[in-house]
Amino acid sequence: MIKNNKKWMAMALLGVTVVTMGMIANGIAKVTKGEKRPLSTENWMEHVVKPHCKALKEEIAAGPKTDDDWESLIEHAEILNETSYILMDDKRCPDAVWANAATKTLRNGSDAVIAAAQAKDAKAAATAFKGMTKSCKECHDKHKEDH
Ligand code: HEC
């Protein structure tokens, strides 16, 4: 009986150890920044990605009319497009989900917004924007913790 208890204790201890190690590994795996450069992913998201994405959304909803309106769309989309490269730099990218969201969904989506704005096609711009923003959820679902 005592012997069995010891065995059970050892098993429980092993279980706790495995779970703890998993949590530590998970904490390390969380992508907060790249390897050498100081920029945190959170900082870029909050101060670059979010405001440009929001501006793009509002300007598309308002309906661009003048050349300056269309040019503004292109400028926001260019910055989001460049983000698709920055997110891959400095060993920031941890896996295929991240890579696909950045280099396919965000990059191609922002390219399509630029093309639509150059053609002054509001409907195509709205569709492209919708496609581009799929990248946010695609990456966040796996890599952004809900606080
Ligand atoms: C390839 C991955 C990836 C893509 C694509 C991506 N994000 Fe993020 N985003 C992250 C990660 C990782 C975090 C969490 C950073 C942290 O808390 O350390 C984050 C956090 C954020 C935050 C919270 C920042 C804060 O202040 O805590 C916002 C806002 C955000 N992203 C907006 C966006 C929008 C809008 C898009 C789409 C246009 C987008 N992101 C696309 C990876 C991505």
Side-chain angles (χ1 to χ4, degrees):
M1 191 63 190
I2 287 165
K3 224 181 171 185
N4 267 347
N5 261 345
K6 270 191 180 163
K7 213 171 175 180
W8 191 87
M9 287 276 285
M11 293 275 284
L13 195 65
L14 184 71
V16 168
T17 309
V18 168
V19 169
T20 309
M21 281 170 68
M23 281 163 77
I24 292 166
N26 219 12
I28 291 165
K30 186 172 177 275
V31 187
T32 55
K33 64 184 282 299
E35 188 185 41
K36 294 203 171 80
R37 301 187 210 160
L39 175 75
S40 72
T41 303
E42 190 178 2
N43 186 7
W44 194 260
M45 290 290 154
E46 188 182 348
H47 296 291
V48 179
V49 178
K50 188 181 171 187
H52 285 286
C53 191
K54 186 167 175 274
L56 199 48
K57 184 181 182 177
E58 288 169 358
E59 290 174 26
I60 288 170
K65 290 166 197 80
T66 66
D67 282 357
D68 281 353
D69 292 346
W70 288 112
E71 182 55 34
S72 180
L73 248 60
I74 292 168
E75 287 172 8
H76 294 305
E78 278 179 0
I79 286 164
L80 295 170
N81 186 265
E82 192 65 19
T83 291
S84 77
Y85 294 89
I86 287 165
L87 287 173
M88 298 305 291
D89 276 358
D90 197 26
K91 301 209 167 100
R92 193 179 300 267
C93 171
D95 61 17
V97 171
W98 182 292
N100 193 74
T103 68
K104 299 256 163 43
T105 319
L106 180 58
R107 192 171 301 169
N108 296 345
S110 49
D111 271 335
V113 172
I114 292 168
Q118 282 166 343
K120 299 188 174 152
D121 183 338
K123 206 170 158 226
T127 305
F129 177 79
K130 221 173 148 195
M132 185 199 77
T133 52
K134 287 204 172 101
S135 71
C136 321
K137 188 172 164 27
E138 188 182 335
C139 193
H140 291 171
D141 274 354
K142 179 156 189 202
H143 293 292
K144 181 175 174 291
E145 284 175 359
D146 297 339
H147 297 289

